[in-house]
Amino acid sequence: MAKNRTNPEDFARPIRRILIGALVVLLLALFLLWRIDSPRVERFRTALVDRTVPSFDWVMLPVTKAVQMVQGFQSYTKLYEQNQELRQELKQMRGWKEAALRLEQQNAKLLDLNQVRLDPKLTHITGVVLADSGSPFRQSVLINVGERDGVRDGWAAMDGIGLVGRISGVGRRSARVILLTDSSSRIPVVVEPSGQKALLSGDNSSAPPLEFVEKADLVRPGDRVVTSGDGGVFPAGLLVGSVAQGPDRRLRALLAADYERLDFLRVLRSHDLEAITDPGGLVAEPVTPGEIGHPPPAEGEDSNG
């Protein structure tokens, strides 16, 4: 039986060998052509390059595009990394900006404290506000000066502009300041330029009312309100605020101090004022009905006649 010669592999194998051999010969010829150092061969090489290379642009197009895509991806990766670095730097810059704004505000408040014109007889000490009461029924702040700094109860506390309150409770290293807006605060004031005396009573609002005004018709909105010094509670002439008329038609005081940003307070050393040691002694003794209308006996005179 004859062998079958129609297998395609029998024809493909010789053709493959012939093509590989031709390719090897072509490559060797190109290698020798580029290695021969001769003017004629150089001219031939130049003419060959001029004829073949421009026509192979379409062949190199996919390679060129692939290289461009790789370069673009690398550029995108670098841009992404730079963007992340810029985001981190931006976060840091925002933190520095907030810190700079806080320092600027603190610096402005300290400058205001240094520019306040006070009585030359009054000395002062500046304290940092540590915390506030956080209660709608008791408005006070805590500062970091106390007995070791010579602070006493009843002394006035101011910010860079106006009166804030008074010392009420002194510890070794801290003291509590009752604000003018607290419901337990009562201070005598004078309305300028009319000179009308009144009582500033705290009611836990940002604009406490002016009570017991001598002649309310002489008081105008915008008039200056300062401490009167009556009763030896505060030194006279400390700025409190200005007069305003509330929605309830009552005269109120718009406080000059910035209660929303109490960072530093200046405590006035009022050494000439009498220290408050017995608050109950400020209340007069009750008068009996038999004493009404009869003046007390003069000194040295017998009460029996």
Side-chain angles (χ1 to χ4, degrees):
M1 183 175 181
K3 187 178 180 180
N4 188 8
R5 292 277 190 182
T6 62
N7 190 0
E9 186 65 23
D10 296 337
F11 296 98
R13 186 178 295 111
I15 296 174
R16 189 182 303 116
R17 292 177 180 177
I18 294 173
L19 292 177
I20 293 174
L23 181 62
V24 171
V25 172
L26 179 62
L27 292 176
L28 289 175
L30 291 175
F31 176 75
L32 294 176
L33 181 64
W34 250 258
R35 295 297 296 177
I36 296 175
D37 188 8
S38 173
R40 292 183 180 180
V41 177
E42 180 65 25
R43 288 194 296 269
F44 177 76
R45 287 199 296 261
T46 303
L48 181 63
V49 169
D50 291 341
R51 291 293 303 272
T52 57
V53 172
S55 61
F56 276 94
D57 288 342
W58 64 274
V59 179
M60 297 300 296
L61 182 62
V63 179
T64 303
K65 293 297 183 181
V67 171
Q68 291 178 354
M69 290 177 62
V70 172
Q71 292 177 351
F73 180 76
Q74 292 176 350
S75 299
Y76 173 77
T77 304
K78 292 181 180 179
L79 288 176
Y80 178 78
E81 293 176 355
Q82 292 178 357
N83 188 18
Q84 295 300 319
E85 293 177 358
L86 290 175
R87 287 177 180 272
Q88 294 295 331
E89 293 179 357
L90 182 60
K91 291 180 180 179
Q92 295 178 358
M93 292 298 295
R94 287 177 179 174
W96 284 109
K97 180 181 178 181
E98 293 178 358
L101 289 176
R102 287 196 299 268
L103 291 175
E104 183 180 0
Q105 293 174 356
Q106 293 178 358
N107 187 32
K109 289 182 178 295
L110 289 175
L111 289 175
D112 289 337
L113 287 173
N114 290 330
Q115 293 174 359
V116 175
R117 293 183 176 87
L118 300 174
D119 190 343
K121 297 180 181 180
L122 294 175
T123 59
H124 65 274
I125 180 173
T126 301
V128 178
V129 176
L130 301 177
D132 56 20
S133 63
S135 171
F137 304 104
R138 180 175 176 84
Q139 299 192 9
S140 62
V141 295
L142 196 68
I143 57 178
N144 66 341
V145 292
E147 289 182 355
R148 65 175 181 177
D149 305 294
V151 177
R152 300 180 185 175
D153 278 329
W155 284 2
M158 304 182 65
D159 71 345
I161 302 177
L163 184 66
V164 172
R166 57 180 172 83
I167 301 295
S168 177
V170 181
R172 177 62 182 170
R173 298 183 179 180
S174 63
R176 183 164 295 280
V177 179
I178 297 296
L179 304 181
L180 299 181
T181 56
D182 189 83
S183 59
S184 63
S185 175
R186 303 287 188 275
I187 64 169
V189 295
V190 174
V191 180
E192 296 178 348
S194 62
Q196 301 301 311
K197 294 184 178 182
L199 189 68
L200 183 68
S201 301
D203 61 349
N204 292 331
S205 68
S206 58
L210 293 171
E211 298 179 344
F212 306 108
V213 182
E214 292 180 334
K215 296 181 180 179
D217 54 344
L218 298 180
V219 178
R220 298 289 184 270
D223 287 351
R224 178 185 173 95
V225 180
V226 297
T227 56
S228 65
D230 294 340
V233 180
F234 290 130
L238 300 181
L239 177 63
V240 176
S242 59
V243 178
Q245 192 171 34
D248 54 358
R249 311 298 295 176
R250 297 177 65 185
L251 293 177
R252 294 181 175 270
L254 295 178
L255 301 179
D258 187 2
Y259 281 73
E260 298 296 330
R261 297 178 180 178
L262 293 180
D263 297 326
F264 302 93
L265 292 183
R266 167 180 287 186
V267 180
L268 304 183
R269 293 191 178 101
S270 307
H271 294 293
D272 295 339
L273 298 180
E274 182 179 356
I276 302 175
T277 58
D278 184 15
L282 298 178
V283 182
E285 296 182 359
V287 181
T288 59
E291 295 177 350
I292 299 177
H294 299 279
E299 184 178 356
E301 183 181 353
D302 189 0
S303 60
N304 296 325

